[in-house]
mmCIF file with all atom_site columns, all heavy atoms in Angstrom:
data_model
loop_
_atom_site.group_PDB
_atom_site.id
_atom_site.type_symbol
_atom_site.label_atom_id
_atom_site.label_alt_id
_atom_site.label_comp_id
_atom_site.label_asym_id
_atom_site.label_entity_id
_atom_site.label_seq_id
_atom_site.pdbx_PDB_ins_code
_atom_site.Cartn_x
_atom_site.Cartn_y
_atom_site.Cartn_z
_atom_site.occupancy
_atom_site.B_iso_or_equiv
_atom_site.pdbx_formal_charge
_atom_site.auth_seq_id
_atom_site.auth_comp_id
_atom_site.auth_asym_id
_atom_site.auth_atom_id
_atom_site.pdbx_PDB_model_num
ATOM 1   N N   . ALA P 1 47 ? -107.268 -14.758 39.575 1.00 98.00 ? 70 ALA P N   1
ATOM 2   C CA  . ALA P 1 47 ? -108.564 -15.401 39.806 1.00 98.00 ? 70 ALA P CA  1
ATOM 3   C C   . ALA P 1 47 ? -109.012 -15.226 41.247 1.00 98.00 ? 70 ALA P C   1
ATOM 4   O O   . ALA P 1 47 ? -110.190 -14.961 41.527 1.00 98.00 ? 70 ALA P O   1
ATOM 5   C CB  . ALA P 1 47 ? -108.474 -16.886 39.448 1.00 98.00 ? 70 ALA P CB  1
ATOM 6   N N   . ALA P 1 48 ? -108.077 -15.362 42.191 1.00 98.00 ? 71 ALA P N   1
ATOM 7   C CA  . ALA P 1 48 ? -108.416 -15.226 43.607 1.00 98.00 ? 71 ALA P CA  1
ATOM 8   C C   . ALA P 1 48 ? -108.860 -13.810 43.945 1.00 98.00 ? 71 ALA P C   1
ATOM 9   O O   . ALA P 1 48 ? -109.758 -13.606 44.777 1.00 98.00 ? 71 ALA P O   1
ATOM 10  C CB  . ALA P 1 48 ? -107.212 -15.617 44.461 1.00 98.00 ? 71 ALA P CB  1
ATOM 11  N N   . VAL P 1 49 ? -108.252 -12.809 43.312 1.00 98.00 ? 72 VAL P N   1
ATOM 12  C CA  . VAL P 1 49 ? -108.652 -11.414 43.535 1.00 98.00 ? 72 VAL P CA  1
ATOM 13  C C   . VAL P 1 49 ? -110.084 -11.186 43.049 1.00 98.00 ? 72 VAL P C   1
ATOM 14  O O   . VAL P 1 49 ? -110.872 -10.495 43.703 1.00 98.00 ? 72 VAL P O   1
ATOM 15  C CB  . VAL P 1 49 ? -107.660 -10.460 42.838 1.00 98.00 ? 72 VAL P CB  1
ATOM 16  C CG1 . VAL P 1 49 ? -108.218 -9.047  42.775 1.00 98.00 ? 72 VAL P CG1 1
ATOM 17  C CG2 . VAL P 1 49 ? -106.327 -10.446 43.571 1.00 98.00 ? 72 VAL P CG2 1
ATOM 18  N N   . VAL P 1 50 ? -110.424 -11.775 41.898 1.00 98.00 ? 73 VAL P N   1
ATOM 19  C CA  . VAL P 1 50 ? -111.796 -11.671 41.396 1.00 98.00 ? 73 VAL P CA  1
ATOM 20  C C   . VAL P 1 50 ? -112.776 -12.281 42.397 1.00 98.00 ? 73 VAL P C   1
ATOM 21  O O   . VAL P 1 50 ? -113.825 -11.690 42.715 1.00 98.00 ? 73 VAL P O   1
ATOM 22  C CB  . VAL P 1 50 ? -111.915 -12.378 40.029 1.00 98.00 ? 73 VAL P CB  1
ATOM 23  C CG1 . VAL P 1 50 ? -113.375 -12.534 39.615 1.00 98.00 ? 73 VAL P CG1 1
ATOM 24  C CG2 . VAL P 1 50 ? -111.148 -11.605 38.962 1.00 98.00 ? 73 VAL P CG2 1
ATOM 25  N N   . VAL P 1 51 ? -112.435 -13.450 42.912 1.00 98.00 ? 74 VAL P N   1
ATOM 26  C CA  . VAL P 1 51 ? -113.292 -14.108 43.912 1.00 98.00 ? 74 VAL P CA  1
ATOM 27  C C   . VAL P 1 51 ? -113.424 -13.240 45.157 1.00 98.00 ? 74 VAL P C   1
ATOM 28  O O   . VAL P 1 51 ? -114.525 -13.067 45.706 1.00 98.00 ? 74 VAL P O   1
ATOM 29  C CB  . VAL P 1 51 ? -112.715 -15.490 44.275 1.00 98.00 ? 74 VAL P CB  1
ATOM 30  C CG1 . VAL P 1 51 ? -113.443 -16.092 45.467 1.00 98.00 ? 74 VAL P CG1 1
ATOM 31  C CG2 . VAL P 1 51 ? -112.801 -16.426 43.073 1.00 98.00 ? 74 VAL P CG2 1
ATOM 32  N N   . ARG P 1 52 ? -112.333 -12.679 45.611 1.00 98.00 ? 75 ARG P N   1
ATOM 33  C CA  . ARG P 1 52 ? -112.345 -11.833 46.809 1.00 98.00 ? 75 ARG P CA  1
ATOM 34  C C   . ARG P 1 52 ? -113.300 -10.654 46.636 1.00 98.00 ? 75 ARG P C   1
ATOM 35  O O   . ARG P 1 52 ? -114.048 -10.314 47.556 1.00 98.00 ? 75 ARG P O   1
ATOM 36  C CB  . ARG P 1 52 ? -110.928 -11.341 47.090 1.00 98.00 ? 75 ARG P CB  1
ATOM 37  C CG  . ARG P 1 52 ? -110.736 -10.480 48.332 1.00 98.00 ? 75 ARG P CG  1
ATOM 38  C CD  . ARG P 1 52 ? -110.726 -11.332 49.597 1.00 98.00 ? 75 ARG P CD  1
ATOM 39  N NE  . ARG P 1 52 ? -112.065 -11.651 50.079 1.00 98.00 ? 75 ARG P NE  1
ATOM 40  C CZ  . ARG P 1 52 ? -112.357 -12.712 50.809 1.00 98.00 ? 75 ARG P CZ  1
ATOM 41  N NH1 . ARG P 1 52 ? -111.416 -13.578 51.128 1.00 98.00 ? 75 ARG P NH1 1
ATOM 42  N NH2 . ARG P 1 52 ? -113.589 -12.929 51.216 1.00 98.00 ? 75 ARG P NH2 1
ATOM 43  N N   . ALA P 1 53 ? -113.288 -10.037 45.451 1.00 98.00 ? 76 ALA P N   1
ATOM 44  C CA  . ALA P 1 53 ? -114.158 -8.889  45.211 1.00 98.00 ? 76 ALA P CA  1
ATOM 45  C C   . ALA P 1 53 ? -115.630 -9.266  45.328 1.00 98.00 ? 76 ALA P C   1
ATOM 46  O O   . ALA P 1 53 ? -116.432 -8.522  45.922 1.00 98.00 ? 76 ALA P O   1
ATOM 47  C CB  . ALA P 1 53 ? -113.871 -8.304  43.828 1.00 98.00 ? 76 ALA P CB  1
ATOM 48  N N   . VAL P 1 54 ? -116.007 -10.424 44.776 1.00 98.00 ? 77 VAL P N   1
ATOM 49  C CA  . VAL P 1 54 ? -117.410 -10.848 44.840 1.00 98.00 ? 77 VAL P CA  1
ATOM 50  C C   . VAL P 1 54 ? -117.789 -11.247 46.262 1.00 98.00 ? 77 VAL P C   1
ATOM 51  O O   . VAL P 1 54 ? -118.851 -10.866 46.767 1.00 98.00 ? 77 VAL P O   1
ATOM 52  C CB  . VAL P 1 54 ? -117.665 -11.998 43.853 1.00 98.00 ? 77 VAL P CB  1
ATOM 53  C CG1 . VAL P 1 54 ? -119.060 -12.591 44.052 1.00 98.00 ? 77 VAL P CG1 1
ATOM 54  C CG2 . VAL P 1 54 ? -117.488 -11.509 42.420 1.00 98.00 ? 77 VAL P CG2 1
ATOM 55  N N   . LEU P 1 55 ? -116.920 -11.996 46.929 1.00 98.00 ? 78 LEU P N   1
ATOM 56  C CA  . LEU P 1 55 ? -117.247 -12.435 48.288 1.00 98.00 ? 78 LEU P CA  1
ATOM 57  C C   . LEU P 1 55 ? -117.306 -11.285 49.274 1.00 98.00 ? 78 LEU P C   1
ATOM 58  O O   . LEU P 1 55 ? -117.994 -11.375 50.300 1.00 98.00 ? 78 LEU P O   1
ATOM 59  C CB  . LEU P 1 55 ? -116.216 -13.473 48.769 1.00 98.00 ? 78 LEU P CB  1
ATOM 60  C CG  . LEU P 1 55 ? -116.177 -14.797 48.001 1.00 98.00 ? 78 LEU P CG  1
ATOM 61  C CD1 . LEU P 1 55 ? -115.176 -15.750 48.651 1.00 98.00 ? 78 LEU P CD1 1
ATOM 62  C CD2 . LEU P 1 55 ? -117.560 -15.438 47.924 1.00 98.00 ? 78 LEU P CD2 1
ATOM 63  N N   . ASP P 1 56 ? -116.607 -10.194 48.998 1.00 97.00 ? 79 ASP P N   1
ATOM 64  C CA  . ASP P 1 56 ? -116.620 -9.027  49.887 1.00 97.00 ? 79 ASP P CA  1
ATOM 65  C C   . ASP P 1 56 ? -117.810 -8.117  49.649 1.00 97.00 ? 79 ASP P C   1
ATOM 66  O O   . ASP P 1 56 ? -118.059 -7.199  50.432 1.00 97.00 ? 79 ASP P O   1
ATOM 67  C CB  . ASP P 1 56 ? -115.333 -8.212  49.709 1.00 97.00 ? 79 ASP P CB  1
ATOM 68  C CG  . ASP P 1 56 ? -114.134 -8.843  50.391 1.00 97.00 ? 79 ASP P CG  1
ATOM 69  O OD1 . ASP P 1 56 ? -114.314 -9.848  51.104 1.00 97.00 ? 79 ASP P OD1 1
ATOM 70  O OD2 . ASP P 1 56 ? -113.013 -8.335  50.204 1.00 97.00 ? 79 ASP P OD2 1
ATOM 71  N N   . ASP P 1 57 ? -118.569 -8.338  48.581 1.00 98.00 ? 80 ASP P N   1
ATOM 72  C CA  . ASP P 1 57 ? -119.667 -7.447  48.202 1.00 98.00 ? 80 ASP P CA  1
ATOM 73  C C   . ASP P 1 57 ? -120.893 -7.718  49.082 1.00 98.00 ? 80 ASP P C   1
ATOM 74  O O   . ASP P 1 57 ? -121.318 -8.867  49.235 1.00 98.00 ? 80 ASP P O   1
ATOM 75  C CB  . ASP P 1 57 ? -120.010 -7.643  46.725 1.00 98.00 ? 80 ASP P CB  1
ATOM 76  C CG  . ASP P 1 57 ? -120.805 -6.483  46.165 1.00 98.00 ? 80 ASP P CG  1
ATOM 77  O OD1 . ASP P 1 57 ? -121.928 -6.239  46.640 1.00 98.00 ? 80 ASP P OD1 1
ATOM 78  O OD2 . ASP P 1 57 ? -120.297 -5.823  45.238 1.00 98.00 ? 80 ASP P OD2 1
ATOM 79  N N   . ALA P 1 58 ? -121.458 -6.666  49.623 1.00 97.00 ? 81 ALA P N   1
ATOM 80  C CA  . ALA P 1 58 ? -122.627 -6.793  50.508 1.00 97.00 ? 81 ALA P CA  1
ATOM 81  C C   . ALA P 1 58 ? -123.848 -7.326  49.767 1.00 97.00 ? 81 ALA P C   1
ATOM 82  O O   . ALA P 1 58 ? -124.795 -7.815  50.397 1.00 97.00 ? 81 ALA P O   1
ATOM 83  C CB  . ALA P 1 58 ? -122.945 -5.440  51.143 1.00 97.00 ? 81 ALA P CB  1
ATOM 84  N N   . ARG P 1 59 ? -123.848 -7.264  48.453 1.00 98.00 ? 82 ARG P N   1
ATOM 85  C CA  . ARG P 1 59 ? -124.998 -7.734  47.657 1.00 98.00 ? 82 ARG P CA  1
ATOM 86  C C   . ARG P 1 59 ? -124.934 -9.234  47.375 1.00 98.00 ? 82 ARG P C   1
ATOM 87  O O   . ARG P 1 59 ? -125.835 -9.786  46.727 1.00 98.00 ? 82 ARG P O   1
ATOM 88  C CB  . ARG P 1 59 ? -125.058 -6.959  46.340 1.00 98.00 ? 82 ARG P CB  1
ATOM 89  C CG  . ARG P 1 59 ? -125.259 -5.459  46.524 1.00 98.00 ? 82 ARG P CG  1
ATOM 90  C CD  . ARG P 1 59 ? -125.006 -4.696  45.233 1.00 98.00 ? 82 ARG P CD  1
ATOM 91  N NE  . ARG P 1 59 ? -123.590 -4.737  44.851 1.00 98.00 ? 82 ARG P NE  1
ATOM 92  C CZ  . ARG P 1 59 ? -123.092 -4.164  43.744 1.00 98.00 ? 82 ARG P CZ  1
ATOM 93  N NH1 . ARG P 1 59 ? -123.915 -3.528  42.926 1.00 98.00 ? 82 ARG P NH1 1
ATOM 94  N NH2 . ARG P 1 59 ? -121.804 -4.246  43.479 1.00 98.00 ? 82 ARG P NH2 1
ATOM 95  N N   . LEU P 1 60 ? -123.922 -9.906  47.846 1.00 98.00 ? 83 LEU P N   1
ATOM 96  C CA  . LEU P 1 60 ? -123.693 -11.318 47.548 1.00 98.00 ? 83 LEU P CA  1
ATOM 97  C C   . LEU P 1 60 ? -124.861 -12.196 47.997 1.00 98.00 ? 83 LEU P C   1
ATOM 98  O O   . LEU P 1 60 ? -125.357 -12.078 49.113 1.00 98.00 ? 83 LEU P O   1
ATOM 99  C CB  . LEU P 1 60 ? -122.415 -11.784 48.251 1.00 98.00 ? 83 LEU P CB  1
ATOM 100 C CG  . LEU P 1 60 ? -122.098 -13.280 48.198 1.00 98.00 ? 83 LEU P CG  1
ATOM 101 C CD1 . LEU P 1 60 ? -121.770 -13.719 46.773 1.00 98.00 ? 83 LEU P CD1 1
ATOM 102 C CD2 . LEU P 1 60 ? -120.946 -13.615 49.142 1.00 98.00 ? 83 LEU P CD2 1
ATOM 103 N N   . LEU P 1 61 ? -125.262 -13.127 47.108 1.00 98.00 ? 84 LEU P N   1
ATOM 104 C CA  . LEU P 1 61 ? -126.222 -14.171 47.447 1.00 98.00 ? 84 LEU P CA  1
ATOM 105 C C   . LEU P 1 61 ? -125.504 -15.504 47.441 1.00 98.00 ? 84 LEU P C   1
ATOM 106 O O   . LEU P 1 61 ? -124.939 -15.917 46.421 1.00 98.00 ? 84 LEU P O   1
ATOM 107 C CB  . LEU P 1 61 ? -127.369 -14.197 46.431 1.00 98.00 ? 84 LEU P CB  1
ATOM 108 C CG  . LEU P 1 61 ? -128.356 -15.378 46.567 1.00 98.00 ? 84 LEU P CG  1
ATOM 109 C CD1 . LEU P 1 61 ? -129.226 -15.204 47.812 1.00 98.00 ? 84 LEU P CD1 1
ATOM 110 C CD2 . LEU P 1 61 ? -129.229 -15.518 45.324 1.00 98.00 ? 84 LEU P CD2 1
ATOM 111 N N   . GLY P 1 62 ? -125.515 -16.206 48.566 1.00 98.00 ? 85 GLY P N   1
ATOM 112 C CA  . GLY P 1 62 ? -125.005 -17.567 48.622 1.00 98.00 ? 85 GLY P CA  1
ATOM 113 C C   . GLY P 1 62 ? -123.496 -17.678 48.574 1.00 98.00 ? 85 GLY P C   1
ATOM 114 O O   . GLY P 1 62 ? -122.768 -16.805 49.064 1.00 98.00 ? 85 GLY P O   1
ATOM 115 N N   . GLU P 1 63 ? -123.033 -18.774 47.965 1.00 98.00 ? 86 GLU P N   1
ATOM 116 C CA  . GLU P 1 63 ? -121.612 -19.106 47.915 1.00 98.00 ? 86 GLU P CA  1
ATOM 117 C C   . GLU P 1 63 ? -121.153 -19.205 46.468 1.00 98.00 ? 86 GLU P C   1
ATOM 118 O O   . GLU P 1 63 ? -121.960 -19.274 45.543 1.00 98.00 ? 86 GLU P O   1
ATOM 119 C CB  . GLU P 1 63 ? -121.362 -20.450 48.615 1.00 98.00 ? 86 GLU P CB  1
ATOM 120 C CG  . GLU P 1 63 ? -121.716 -20.462 50.076 1.00 98.00 ? 86 GLU P CG  1
ATOM 121 C CD  . GLU P 1 63 ? -121.339 -21.783 50.742 1.00 98.00 ? 86 GLU P CD  1
ATOM 122 O OE1 . GLU P 1 63 ? -120.978 -22.748 50.018 1.00 98.00 ? 86 GLU P OE1 1
ATOM 123 O OE2 . GLU P 1 63 ? -121.398 -21.851 51.971 1.00 98.00 ? 86 GLU P OE2 1
ATOM 124 N N   . LEU P 1 64 ? -119.859 -19.253 46.284 1.00 98.00 ? 87 LEU P N   1
ATOM 125 C CA  . LEU P 1 64 ? -119.287 -19.348 44.945 1.00 98.00 ? 87 LEU P CA  1
ATOM 126 C C   . LEU P 1 64 ? -119.581 -20.719 44.338 1.00 98.00 ? 87 LEU P C   1
ATOM 127 O O   . LEU P 1 64 ? -119.300 -21.753 44.944 1.00 98.00 ? 87 LEU P O   1
ATOM 128 C CB  . LEU P 1 64 ? -117.780 -19.127 45.020 1.00 98.00 ? 87 LEU P CB  1
ATOM 129 C CG  . LEU P 1 64 ? -117.067 -18.886 43.689 1.00 98.00 ? 87 LEU P CG  1
ATOM 130 C CD1 . LEU P 1 64 ? -117.534 -17.579 43.069 1.00 98.00 ? 87 LEU P CD1 1
ATOM 131 C CD2 . LEU P 1 64 ? -115.564 -18.863 43.890 1.00 98.00 ? 87 LEU P CD2 1
ATOM 132 N N   . LEU P 1 65 ? -120.122 -20.717 43.122 1.00 98.00 ? 88 LEU P N   1
ATOM 133 C CA  . LEU P 1 65 ? -120.404 -21.944 42.388 1.00 98.00 ? 88 LEU P CA  1
ATOM 134 C C   . LEU P 1 65 ? -119.487 -22.106 41.184 1.00 98.00 ? 88 LEU P C   1
ATOM 135 O O   . LEU P 1 65 ? -118.975 -23.191 40.941 1.00 98.00 ? 88 LEU P O   1
ATOM 136 C CB  . LEU P 1 65 ? -121.867 -21.962 41.928 1.00 98.00 ? 88 LEU P CB  1
ATOM 137 C CG  . LEU P 1 65 ? -122.949 -21.881 43.009 1.00 98.00 ? 88 LEU P CG  1
ATOM 138 C CD1 . LEU P 1 65 ? -124.325 -21.904 42.357 1.00 98.00 ? 88 LEU P CD1 1
ATOM 139 C CD2 . LEU P 1 65 ? -122.807 -23.010 44.017 1.00 98.00 ? 88 LEU P CD2 1
ATOM 140 N N   . SER P 1 66 ? -119.296 -21.039 40.428 1.00 98.00 ? 89 SER P N   1
ATOM 141 C CA  . SER P 1 66 ? -118.428 -21.133 39.258 1.00 98.00 ? 89 SER P CA  1
ATOM 142 C C   . SER P 1 66 ? -117.758 -19.800 38.979 1.00 98.00 ? 89 SER P C   1
ATOM 143 O O   . SER P 1 66 ? -118.247 -18.739 39.369 1.00 98.00 ? 89 SER P O   1
ATOM 144 C CB  . SER P 1 66 ? -119.213 -21.599 38.026 1.00 98.00 ? 89 SER P CB  1
ATOM 145 O OG  . SER P 1 66 ? -120.064 -20.578 37.552 1.00 98.00 ? 89 SER P OG  1
ATOM 146 N N   . LEU P 1 67 ? -116.633 -19.900 38.283 1.00 98.00 ? 90 LEU P N   1
ATOM 147 C CA  . LEU P 1 67 ? -115.811 -18.735 37.975 1.00 98.00 ? 90 LEU P CA  1
ATOM 148 C C   . LEU P 1 67 ? -115.173 -18.946 36.611 1.00 98.00 ? 90 LEU P C   1
ATOM 149 O O   . LEU P 1 67 ? -114.594 -20.000 36.353 1.00 98.00 ? 90 LEU P O   1
ATOM 150 C CB  . LEU P 1 67 ? -114.709 -18.582 39.039 1.00 98.00 ? 90 LEU P CB  1
ATOM 151 C CG  . LEU P 1 67 ? -113.509 -17.683 38.713 1.00 98.00 ? 90 LEU P CG  1
ATOM 152 C CD1 . LEU P 1 67 ? -113.927 -16.221 38.731 1.00 98.00 ? 90 LEU P CD1 1
ATOM 153 C CD2 . LEU P 1 67 ? -112.377 -17.927 39.710 1.00 98.00 ? 90 LEU P CD2 1
ATOM 154 N N   . THR P 1 68 ? -115.267 -17.961 35.743 1.00 98.00 ? 91 THR P N   1
ATOM 155 C CA  . THR P 1 68 ? -114.531 -17.958 34.477 1.00 98.00 ? 91 THR P CA  1
ATOM 156 C C   . THR P 1 68 ? -113.749 -16.659 34.383 1.00 98.00 ? 91 THR P C   1
ATOM 157 O O   . THR P 1 68 ? -114.335 -15.573 34.498 1.00 98.00 ? 91 THR P O   1
ATOM 158 C CB  . THR P 1 68 ? -115.463 -18.093 33.268 1.00 98.00 ? 91 THR P CB  1
ATOM 159 O OG1 . THR P 1 68 ? -116.114 -19.368 33.309 1.00 98.00 ? 91 THR P OG1 1
ATOM 160 C CG2 . THR P 1 68 ? -114.685 -17.987 31.964 1.00 98.00 ? 91 THR P CG2 1
ATOM 161 N N   . VAL P 1 69 ? -112.436 -16.785 34.194 1.00 98.00 ? 92 VAL P N   1
ATOM 162 C CA  . VAL P 1 69 ? -111.563 -15.619 34.071 1.00 98.00 ? 92 VAL P CA  1
ATOM 163 C C   . VAL P 1 69 ? -110.945 -15.628 32.681 1.00 98.00 ? 92 VAL P C   1
ATOM 164 O O   . VAL P 1 69 ? -110.381 -16.637 32.251 1.00 98.00 ? 92 VAL P O   1
ATOM 165 C CB  . VAL P 1 69 ? -110.451 -15.625 35.138 1.00 98.00 ? 92 VAL P CB  1
ATOM 166 C CG1 . VAL P 1 69 ? -109.599 -14.359 35.030 1.00 98.00 ? 92 VAL P CG1 1
ATOM 167 C CG2 . VAL P 1 69 ? -111.044 -15.737 36.534 1.00 98.00 ? 92 VAL P CG2 1
ATOM 168 N N   . ASN P 1 70 ? -111.046 -14.505 31.987 1.00 98.00 ? 93 ASN P N   1
ATOM 169 C CA  . ASN P 1 70 ? -110.444 -14.342 30.669 1.00 98.00 ? 93 ASN P CA  1
ATOM 170 C C   . ASN P 1 70 ? -109.287 -13.354 30.770 1.00 98.00 ? 93 ASN P C   1
ATOM 171 O O   . ASN P 1 70 ? -109.490 -12.191 31.138 1.00 98.00 ? 93 ASN P O   1
ATOM 172 C CB  . ASN P 1 70 ? -111.482 -13.847 29.658 1.00 98.00 ? 93 ASN P CB  1
ATOM 173 C CG  . ASN P 1 70 ? -112.651 -14.808 29.514 1.00 98.00 ? 93 ASN P CG  1
ATOM 174 O OD1 . ASN P 1 70 ? -112.457 -16.002 29.305 1.00 98.00 ? 93 ASN P OD1 1
ATOM 175 N ND2 . ASN P 1 70 ? -113.858 -14.295 29.651 1.00 98.00 ? 93 ASN P ND2 1
ATOM 176 N N   . TYR P 1 71 ? -108.098 -13.838 30.464 1.00 98.00 ? 94 TYR P N   1
ATOM 177 C CA  . TYR P 1 71 ? -106.886 -13.030 30.603 1.00 98.00 ? 94 TYR P CA  1
ATOM 178 C C   . TYR P 1 71 ? -106.646 -12.303 29.277 1.00 98.00 ? 94 TYR P C   1
ATOM 179 O O   . TYR P 1 71 ? -105.951 -12.794 28.390 1.00 98.00 ? 94 TYR P O   1
ATOM 180 C CB  . TYR P 1 71 ? -105.717 -13.920 30.989 1.00 98.00 ? 94 TYR P CB  1
ATOM 181 C CG  . TYR P 1 71 ? -105.945 -14.652 32.293 1.00 98.00 ? 94 TYR P CG  1
ATOM 182 C CD1 . TYR P 1 71 ? -106.523 -15.931 32.311 1.00 98.00 ? 94 TYR P CD1 1
ATOM 183 C CD2 . TYR P 1 71 ? -105.602 -14.082 33.509 1.00 98.00 ? 94 TYR P CD2 1
ATOM 184 C CE1 . TYR P 1 71 ? -106.745 -16.600 33.500 1.00 98.00 ? 94 TYR P CE1 1
ATOM 185 C CE2 . TYR P 1 71 ? -105.821 -14.753 34.706 1.00 98.00 ? 94 TYR P CE2 1
ATOM 186 C CZ  . TYR P 1 71 ? -106.395 -16.004 34.696 1.00 98.00 ? 94 TYR P CZ  1
ATOM 187 O OH  . TYR P 1 71 ? -106.613 -16.675 35.889 1.00 98.00 ? 94 TYR P OH  1
#
Side-chain angles (χ1 to χ4, degrees):
V72 167
V73 168
V74 171
R75 182 77 277 154
V77 172
L78 296 184
D79 283 354
D80 198 297
R82 298 167 292 179
L83 173 67
L84 172 72
E86 298 185 350
L87 193 65
L88 301 180
S89 72
L90 163 72
T91 296
V92 183
N93 300 309
Y94 301 92

